[in-house]
Amino acid sequence: MTTGTTDVMSLSILRGIISRLWLYSLHLLWPVSCEVCGRIGTALCDSCRHEMIRREAEASKARGFYKIFTDDIITRQLNNVTVYSALYHHDPSVKKVIHNFKEEGRRDMGRPLGVCMARAFGETEADYIIPAPLRMNSERKYNQTRELAEGMCDYWGVELLDVSERTRERPHQMMLGAFDRKNNIAPDDFRFTEDIRGLRVALVDDVCTTGYTLMAFAEACRLAGANVICAYTLSSSHL
């Protein structure tokens, strides 16, 4: 073995030691470890994240979800927020999937659908994802939007911030006409349980129809000090 080769190997070993020491130092200052494998210095290490993505992708294929996704992304500019939707809501296959996910208690569909959404959208410029909260006194046992957001965060490797909640009970938007929907929701219908000032965030909801809910939610985020990059929805329905 030549002297040059030995020097390269020694340098590589030294870098490895320095890297591990750096991780241990960070762990002492900010104790955090991978929730899956326990590796220190990260809440979810890259290898575990990629394994989660692989499993969710396989789950989506097994259920046939991937068949309803295409390369066509629906883009809508709704006053103060750009909304990207992966699917057109009136497609019968899409409506069936969403009905099963939301109304038939199929919570397990959420993360695989979220992975499919993130893959369809490509990359995101946001550092955090905030799912829209459930309506007050909702009968649903889970927030379907959070389930989608978790899959998107798995794929993109960004952080989920489930920090919003409704402040008042309102009639369900689906029960109202377009005019009444506009007056049925306002930015002060939302509040945040953590400080989001200065954060670059993307919002997530399941379906965008008139867009009034997302517009109010985006404005609430801005009033709370966040930089709203855009919003993502599983499907879009033009009235």
Side-chain angles (χ1 to χ4, degrees):
M1 184 177 296
T2 65
T3 302
T5 303
T6 302
D7 291 342
V8 170
M9 290 181 63
S10 299
L11 183 59
S12 177
I13 293 171
L14 180 60
R15 286 176 176 170
I17 294 172
I18 292 174
S19 177
R20 285 193 293 272
L21 287 174
W22 174 248
L23 285 175
Y24 279 114
S25 298
L26 288 177
H27 185 65
L28 290 174
L29 293 172
W30 300 284
V32 64
S33 59
C34 177
E35 296 180 1
V36 180
C37 70
R39 180 181 177 184
I40 67 170
T42 177
L44 182 65
C45 71
D46 287 341
S47 60
C48 290
R49 182 170 69 85
H50 289 308
E51 176 61 18
M52 291 176 68
I53 292 171
R54 184 188 67 78
R55 291 180 180 178
E56 299 295 352
E58 288 181 354
S60 69
K61 288 183 179 181
R63 298 184 180 97
F65 296 162
Y66 72 100
K67 294 179 181 179
I68 64 175
F69 287 85
T70 68
D71 294 331
D72 296 326
I73 300 300
I74 303 166
T75 304
R76 298 171 64 181
Q77 187 64 41
L78 300 174
N79 290 346
N80 61 350
V81 61
T82 302
V83 182
Y84 300 101
S85 302
L87 303 168
Y88 185 56
H89 188 69
H90 292 302
D91 183 295
S93 298
V94 173
K95 292 183 73 171
K96 181 178 180 180
V97 167
I98 293 177
H99 175 78
N100 289 339
F101 173 43
K102 293 179 61 176
E103 310 303 333
E104 299 298 327
R106 293 295 306 279
R107 183 175 186 173
D108 61 298
M109 297 169 66
R111 291 179 82 138
L113 283 170
V115 168
C116 288
M117 287 172 63
R119 185 188 295 114
F121 294 132
E123 300 296 326
T124 184
E125 296 181 4
D127 300 318
Y128 301 90
I129 302 294
I130 302 182
L134 279 175
R135 294 182 300 109
M136 291 185 69
N137 301 318
S138 172
E139 296 179 358
R140 188 167 292 117
K141 302 298 184 182
Y142 56 91
N143 183 354
Q144 73 278 0
T145 301
R146 179 193 167 97
E147 301 300 318
L148 296 173
E150 286 182 343
M152 298 172 74
C153 289
D154 288 345
Y155 188 86
W156 282 327
V158 299
E159 185 174 344
L160 175 71
L161 289 181
D162 191 6
V163 296
S164 64
E165 58 187 23
R166 296 291 188 105
T167 61
R168 59 172 62 92
E169 188 172 3
R170 296 276 197 178
H172 198 299
Q173 290 284 82
M174 295 298 293
M175 301 295 106
L176 304 174
F179 178 79
D180 291 328
R181 289 187 187 193
K182 182 177 182 180
N183 299 302
N184 187 50
I185 193 163
D188 62 0
D189 282 8
F190 302 93
R191 78 177 190 90
F192 299 91
T193 57
E194 294 182 16
D195 187 2
I196 60 172
R197 286 177 294 181
L199 302 184
R200 292 167 51 85
V201 305
L203 313 180
V204 174
D205 207 348
D206 54 353
V207 180
C208 179
T209 49
T210 58
Y212 293 131
T213 298
L214 273 175
M215 284 190 284
F217 190 34
E219 184 61 22
C221 288
R222 290 195 174 99
L223 291 173
N227 178 10
V228 179
I229 304 300
C230 63
Y232 300 108
T233 72
L234 176 59
S235 68
S236 176
S237 174
H238 293 275
L239 296 182

